[in-house]
Amino acid sequence: MTTLFVATTGGHLAQLVELADRLPVDGASVWVTHDNEQSRSLLAGRDVMYVPYMGPRSVSGVLRTLPRAVGLHAGRRITCACSTGSGLALAYLPYLAARGVRCHYIESAARVVGPSLTGRVLRRVPGVVTYTQYPQWSDGSWRYGGSVLDRYRAVPAAGGTGDPLRVVVTVGTATEYPFRRLFTRLWQLLAPGGPLERRTGRAVEVLWQTGGTPVAGLPLRATPFLPARELSRAVARADIVVSHAGAGSALAVLGAGRFPVLVPRTQRHKEAVDDHQAQLAEELVRRGLALRADADDLTVEQLLASATKGVLRDDDAPAFALA
């Protein structure tokens, strides 16, 4: 028996890695995703097949990738396939289901109130079982099996260790949608001699993980991409973490033990394909795992509130229930 794990990089891959040890699958496994710093770090030591990057809602990308699904099934005799999306799920699951492979599609935790476009398509594909991570919208078509968020809980922070005040700003790996609003506002707060430094009396040291956002004209030292383990270490050492409200970044911050200020990207500002980040931010606030802020209205008080709590991860979370 060989299980295929397939997911687009970013939040989709982060969730599948998080869920993989909770899925009741046996035998060998192979992973299919895109090749970047995140995937190489998260999947180090695993059997991985990398495929060319597929942008959001790319029909041509799905069609170009489909022959790889055909070849993989022929060469590896896949018996079970699990995916958290997005486009790569469309390239692999319908074909594999038609060949008799047991296929499971787990909708992203970012979809708090209903399925994504990928989910709505796959729900209609015979042989693909679809799951939600939220019981409030489970029904005959969408089974509730658990959530990647179930294993986290907030705790009081241990407290700072003195100078400098370490801040991590992270916006994930997506390249299609810049988030310059966030960096413009944060620079005003975090600049040397700026409001945060004056409020705390401590020098402020910032790691700016900028992803695909152009930051020319802002006097900050940008680090577009970091390996997942390196970013996790930086987050774990930080006093304050500010993140866009993407599922992958949120999970990375929670997994490193930090309580983030989450700033959703918005469709109105052309920072995302829709407003699902706002839904995820609200869900994490409801669970007591994060603060939410708007990019234009971030305050020093919100940043300091982030430093008052930490997050613990339960490694004995229950299995995710597959049909």
Side-chain angles (χ1 to χ4, degrees):
M1 298 177 64
T2 299
T3 297
L4 168 67
F5 294 104
V6 55
T8 304
T9 47
H12 300 286
L13 179 61
Q15 290 178 77
L16 192 56
V17 171
E18 181 88 7
L19 288 168
D21 64 350
R22 295 170 56 191
L23 296 174
V25 295
D26 298 314
S29 63
V30 58
W31 290 73
V32 171
T33 189
H34 308 309
D35 184 12
N36 65 14
E37 290 86 348
Q38 180 210 31
S39 58
R40 289 195 298 271
S41 179
L42 286 177
L43 300 177
R46 307 193 196 211
D47 185 358
V48 185
M49 298 181 65
Y50 293 113
V51 298
Y53 179 71
M54 181 190 304
R57 300 186 175 182
S58 173
V59 175
S60 61
V62 171
L63 296 176
R64 285 196 305 270
T65 307
L66 179 57
R68 295 174 181 266
V70 176
L72 178 64
H73 181 256
R76 299 295 296 267
R77 303 185 67 178
I78 303 299
T79 54
C80 176
C82 299
S83 180
T84 47
S86 55
L88 283 182
L90 294 173
Y92 281 80
L93 296 192
Y95 171 76
L96 293 174
R99 302 293 294 175
V101 175
R102 292 178 291 114
C103 292
H104 306 276
Y105 173 74
I106 304 169
E107 186 58 272
S108 171
R111 301 295 175 171
V112 180
V113 299
S116 63
L117 177 60
T118 297
R120 294 196 299 271
V121 172
L122 288 175
R123 183 184 67 82
R124 300 179 179 278
V125 176
V128 177
V129 184
T130 51
Y131 304 81
T132 171
Q133 297 189 52
Y134 297 99
Q136 63 264 28
W137 61 271
S138 62
D139 57 22
S141 299
W142 292 92
R143 300 168 182 260
Y144 172 68
S147 170
V148 292
L149 304 177
D150 291 341
R151 66 195 333 169
Y152 296 101
R153 62 184 176 90
V155 295
T161 58
D163 289 334
L165 188 68
R166 296 185 177 91
V167 180
V168 171
V169 180
T170 179
V171 295
T173 60
T175 59
E176 294 86 1
Y177 299 101
F179 200 13
R180 188 178 173 94
R181 279 194 313 135
L182 176 60
F183 293 103
T184 300
R185 177 57 181 161
L186 279 174
W187 173 252
Q188 296 169 0
L189 300 177
L190 304 179
L196 183 61
E197 186 174 306
R198 293 197 303 271
R199 175 69 64 86
T200 62
R202 297 169 62 181
V204 177
E205 180 182 284
V206 187
L207 170 63
W208 301 93
Q209 189 269 305
T210 55
T213 297
V215 291
L218 295 175
L220 54 84
R221 183 177 179 182
T223 303
F225 303 104
L226 279 171
R229 290 196 179 105
E230 188 175 336
L231 179 61
S232 180
R233 286 194 295 268
V235 170
R237 294 193 300 266
D239 299 291
I240 296 169
V241 180
V242 182
S243 173
H244 79 151
S249 293
L251 285 173
V253 175
L254 297 177
R258 298 273 66 84
F259 182 87
V261 177
L262 292 179
V263 185
R265 298 171 182 261
T266 70
Q267 184 182 36
R268 179 168 65 92
H269 290 95
K270 299 181 180 179
E271 296 156 346
V273 68
D274 56 32
D275 289 327
H276 68 274
Q277 285 202 1
Q279 298 170 16
L280 180 59
E282 287 298 328
E283 174 64 16
L284 287 167
V285 169
R286 186 189 70 80
R287 289 174 178 255
L289 295 173
L291 296 171
R292 177 187 171 175
D294 181 77
D296 295 323
D297 300 322
L298 265 168
T299 66
V300 167
E301 288 74 21
Q302 289 170 322
L303 298 180
L304 292 175
S306 166
T308 65
K309 294 182 181 180
V311 172
L312 286 182
R313 182 179 188 274
D314 179 9
D315 288 327
D316 295 322
F320 190 96
L322 293 182

